[in-house]
Amino acid sequence: MTEEPVGTLAGIARHAFPKAPMEVLDHVDVSVEAGLAGDFRGAVKPGGRGRRQVTLIERGDWEAAMAELGHAIPWQERRANLLIDGLDLPQVAGTLIGIGAQVVLEITVECDPCSRMETIATGLKAALTPDWRGGACSRVRRGGRIALGDDVVILDPLQGQLL
């Protein structure tokens, strides 16, 4: 039997409105209707698909970008919602990610870094561009509560089991 890859939820952040400061949390409720509780981007607009409800970034990717630029900027300045440690997130739309005992997110699209990254550090947008380094956007498939230290796993979309 082989060990299944398991990562850890290493960070949670949200912002109440566009351009608001990021609020770092140790736990949060997640719902299909609203994404992360209190995060402006999570609510699905009428007729919308919710493709950007929750954003995820890998700790290793953020650290690589920081090393490339010679900076030590806190991860939440990327404006992502979740920091994942120890798991290589698949770069495939439709991939299901399980967090904790209940939450399931579906990767929808690459989270392209915007020009706002340049206001944080010159060259940051370019450093986050290759190989999905800027993270992944997702929609909530099943809600629940998540907390720092929760396991993060890749789920089999057909069977709802670990791959």
Side-chain angles (χ1 to χ4, degrees):
M1 183 189 282
T2 61
E3 293 255 338
E4 303 301 338
V6 177
T8 303
L9 182 57
I12 304 169
R14 66 181 177 195
H15 49 305
F17 54 90
K19 299 182 182 175
M22 295 300 286
E23 176 186 10
V24 178
L25 308 166
D26 60 6
H27 66 276
V28 70
D29 291 320
V30 180
S31 71
V32 172
E33 302 78 22
L36 266 64
D39 189 74
F40 89 96
R41 193 176 291 281
V44 179
K45 296 175 179 77
R49 297 181 289 172
R51 292 178 2 144
R52 296 179 55 88
Q53 279 188 296
V54 179
T55 53
L56 306 95
I57 189 167
E58 297 173 33
R59 182 191 299 267
D61 285 345
W62 180 253
E63 289 176 351
M66 291 298 97
E68 191 174 300
L69 297 175
H71 289 293
I73 300 166
W75 75 272
Q76 66 270 16
E77 295 302 314
R78 170 61 183 105
R79 306 193 67 74
N81 297 122
L82 304 178
L83 180 67
I84 309 300
D85 192 21
L87 183 67
D88 188 17
L89 295 171
Q91 300 171 356
V92 178
T95 300
L96 298 179
I97 306 296
I99 304 177
Q102 299 172 316
V103 172
V104 176
L105 304 177
E106 176 189 354
I107 292 177
T108 56
V109 68
E110 178 179 5
C111 190
D112 292 321
C114 65
S115 57
R116 183 175 179 139
M117 295 298 102
E118 288 303 297
T119 64
I120 296 169
T122 301
L124 183 55
K125 181 178 178 182
L128 291 172
T129 299
D131 197 31
W132 286 49
R133 242 195 219 175
C137 298
S138 69
R139 73 171 50 97
V140 179
R141 287 298 187 192
R142 187 171 67 214
R145 177 168 276 218
I146 58 175
L148 294 179
D150 279 352
D151 285 346
V152 179
V153 296
I154 301 164
L155 301 172
D156 180 337
L158 299 176
Q159 300 172 21
Q161 298 175 0
L162 290 176
L163 283 177

